[in-house]
Amino acid sequence: MTARSFALVDCNNFYVSCERVFDPVLEGRPVLVLSNNDGCIIARSDEVKALGIVMGTPLFEARPLIEEHGIEVYSSNYVLYGDMSGRVMSLLGGFTPNLEIYSIDEAFLDFSGFGSLDLTRHGLEIRDRVRRCTGIPVSIGIAPTKTLAKLANRIAKKSPGAGGVFELNPLEDRHGALSGTAVRDVWGIGRNYARMLNRNGIHSALDLHDAPGPWVRRRMGVAGARTWLELRGISCIETQTQTEDRKSAVVSRSFKRPLERLEELREAVAAFAERAAEKIRRQNLAAASVIVFIHTNRFASEDGRYKNATTVNLPMADNHTGRISKAALGGLEHIFRPGRRYKKAGVMLVGLEPEKTVQPDLFTSARDGRGEKLMKAFDGINRKFGAGKIRYAATGIGQTWRTAPMRRSPRYTTNWDELPGVW
DNA sequence: TCTGGGGTCCTAGGACCC
DNA sequence: TCTGGGGTCCTAGGACCC
């Protein structure tokens, strides 16, 4: 068996860093980025973290600190972040043939077999190159397993002296690193397992490493057992270099103002269905069923609370906006109850399969092709002239349930009208 | 007043079959 | 009163991730 080596490259405060690239005045200032609807804080600069504002804090709770410290507040700009992510990932791809894009701001690089190469130095070069070419600062953790690389990455972020790169290889290193990491911060250990582990006297990553394997397997299943092995340096979570077809696609939103009328809800659900269908068409997939769900305010008191979902099976796997929308609206009729204040709705497409393999069922004649041509034209126009340029009428003209983001940066990199100017 | 969105995998239990 | 032993498939819910 050959020794394995993985690097986890993670963009620092990614959304904030993207905003800073295009507005360098933000450098050194406290900056935060909000979720959809400007509801929660989902990205924070180091300055904001230092003020004790935690991930996911509702905006209204942070208001006093925001004003007191003059924090710069941005609505999220996913088009910009997605584009910046692509640039970072394509640079990383130049450093290894085995790149796993793990999320919008993280990637694993499989360095197994790089032999005697000084990996720390290699990491420093990667960091430097990404910084120079994109303006995004990254941290890099290097270790014999992905779980340990994650852990090393945390250490790299927290130790300013490390130059943003931390390699966790020699055995003696591992002891200190594991004992200094809370078990809650181990990749694969969430809130619930952390609580269970704490109850059983396991507080650090080292405690988990030292726990008996069969006990971990019994209490935490195969996923827990894998984490345990990985902490011990035995690699068992493979690099996934090829992205497989997704298995589901969801489009859902919370509403700033609760919706009560069926007509408004219908517009929202039609709009979600339209976007979900576009999403799967882009990947040449078709869905077997459509799930629609609605619920009232989950923070409200017990009475008046309502949530429901229903699944509508399609006659044959489909990705046509009209038919998916119709199915979703049909489902909505079933679960809608008048007199409730709905806070959120969504459409989920499941049972996805490549559109080429779709089998017509006994009662549905094969497609005539007209619907497909219409969809291609539809997608083509929206690609060329901007998303949402043409829409189905069912999605509503006014879309009063939508709210404009408070403060979104321009789409510098993807929209001709919003290119940064030079004066 | 104001509280995000989008995914994956695993497990337990029931239905059904031989 | 005794009353097998599997296997497979599906679903709901729980756990995790970013």
Side-chain angles (χ1 to χ4, degrees):
Chain A
M1 205 189 89
T2 56
R4 305 295 304 267
S5 217
F6 301 90
L8 174 69
V9 179
D10 189 322
C11 302
N12 299 347
N13 315 329
F14 183 54
Y15 297 169
V16 166
S17 296
C18 289
E19 299 294 347
R20 280 177 170 166
V21 166
F22 293 96
D23 193 354
V25 170
L26 300 174
E27 211 63 54
R29 295 192 44 75
V31 180
L32 59 80
V33 178
L34 301 172
S35 65
N36 248 313
N37 253 337
D38 295 334
C40 291
I41 293 161
I42 55 166
R44 306 155 294 151
S45 69
D46 291 339
E47 298 78 9
V48 173
K49 289 177 186 173
L51 292 172
I53 295 180
V54 301
M55 177 78 169
T57 305
L59 175 60
F60 68 88
E61 277 179 16
R63 272 259 153 70
L65 278 174
I66 289 171
E67 273 155 36
E68 184 184 341
H69 298 276
I71 300 175
E72 305 279 352
V73 178
Y74 282 82
S75 301
S76 39
N77 185 344
Y78 291 105
V79 176
L80 175 66
Y81 310 150
D83 184 69
M84 290 302 289
S85 172
R87 292 166 194 237
V88 171
M89 297 305 169
S90 92
L91 282 172
L92 295 181
F95 288 93
T96 172
N98 302 311
L99 174 75
E100 173 181 349
I101 297 173
Y102 180 66
S103 75
I104 193 165
D105 67 339
E106 273 176 69
F108 286 103
L109 282 68
D110 194 335
F111 286 163
S112 308
F114 277 36
S116 56
L117 186 68
D118 179 342
L119 293 179
T120 299
R121 237 186 81 191
H122 197 51
L124 288 166
E125 278 166 28
I126 293 173
R127 190 183 133 82
D128 185 54
R129 184 158 166 76
V130 173
R131 182 78 204 230
R132 271 189 293 112
C133 299
T134 67
I136 301 287
V138 301
S139 300
I140 303 181
I142 302 166
T145 71
K146 288 166 87 175
T147 302
L148 288 172
K150 275 281 214 181
L151 200 144
N153 188 282
R154 283 184 60 83
I155 296 172
K157 276 210 168 71
K158 290 188 163 180
S159 0
V165 179
F166 186 79
E167 186 176 354
L168 185 57
N169 261 327
L171 282 169
E172 61 270 23
D173 266 358
R174 226 177 275 172
H175 199 91
L178 293 184
S179 63
T181 301
V183 75
R184 167 70 183 89
D185 294 327
V186 172
W187 190 43
I189 307 298
R191 225 191 24 218
N192 289 287
Y193 282 146
R195 209 181 311 139
M196 184 279 289
L197 291 169
N198 289 165
R199 272 202 308 271
N200 286 275
I202 293 168
H203 299 281
S204 69
L206 185 62
D207 295 339
L208 180 57
H209 168 280
D210 291 342
W215 182 86
V216 174
R217 171 66 181 83
R218 200 169 60 247
R219 300 299 299 261
M220 301 171 63
V222 297
R226 269 199 291 264
T227 298
W228 182 81
L229 283 168
E230 288 239 324
L231 281 178
R232 300 170 78 92
I234 299 161
S235 172
C236 46
I237 303 175
E238 260 321 307
T239 324
Q240 206 200 309
T241 49
Q242 222 156 301
T243 53
E244 278 160 39
D245 283 346
R246 64 162 82 234
K247 291 167 182 160
S248 64
V250 183
V251 176
S252 74
R253 289 289 178 278
S254 299
F255 309 120
K256 197 96 194 171
R257 141 184 89 82
L259 304 187
E260 295 182 56
R261 291 168 32 232
L262 177 60
E263 300 85 84
E264 284 186 308
L265 227 35
R266 287 177 56 91
E267 284 188 7
V269 165
F272 301 158
E274 176 173 345
R275 285 224 33 218
E278 275 167 16
K279 223 185 217 182
I280 66 169
R281 283 203 298 275
R282 204 174 312 141
Q283 295 175 59
N284 304 311
L285 299 173
S289 348
V290 181
I291 297 170
V292 53
F293 60 90
I294 51 178
H295 55 82
T296 56
N297 192 345
R298 67 185 210 276
F299 299 101
S301 60
E302 206 61 61
D303 52 304
R305 215 188 289 183
Y306 172 75
K307 69 186 266 191
N308 208 346
T310 187
T311 305
V312 182
N313 295 315
L314 298 166
M316 58 187 277
D318 209 339
N319 59 22
H320 182 279
T321 293
R323 291 186 292 257
I324 288 192
S325 205
K326 199 173 157 200
L329 292 173
L332 175 64
E333 305 284 342
H334 275 102
I335 55 177
F336 177 82
R337 302 282 178 276
R340 314 274 179 170
R341 296 159 56 78
Y342 296 96
K343 254 318 248 185
K344 182 171 179 170
V347 171
M348 194 180 323
L349 303 182
V350 299
L352 301 187
E353 54 175 302
E355 59 186 350
K356 286 196 291 288
T357 69
V358 169
Q359 297 291 321
D361 77 5
L362 287 174
F363 308 103
T364 318
S365 57
R367 302 243 184 86
D368 57 13
R370 277 171 54 209
E372 283 60 45
K373 277 187 194 144
L374 175 63
M375 287 298 102
K376 295 274 177 255
F378 208 92
D379 293 338
I381 289 171
N382 280 333
R383 245 197 316 277
K384 200 160 172 186
F385 298 105
K389 206 52 137 191
I390 57 173
R391 307 195 318 254
Y392 264 64
T395 62
I397 301 301
Q399 299 204 334
T400 51
W401 48 273
R402 259 187 220 282
T403 45
M406 196 170 62
R407 182 175 176 195
R408 198 184 61 196
S409 52
R411 285 160 291 188
Y412 300 105
T413 58
T414 55
N415 191 314
W416 289 112
D417 300 332
E418 298 177 7
L419 283 175
V422 179
W423 285 277

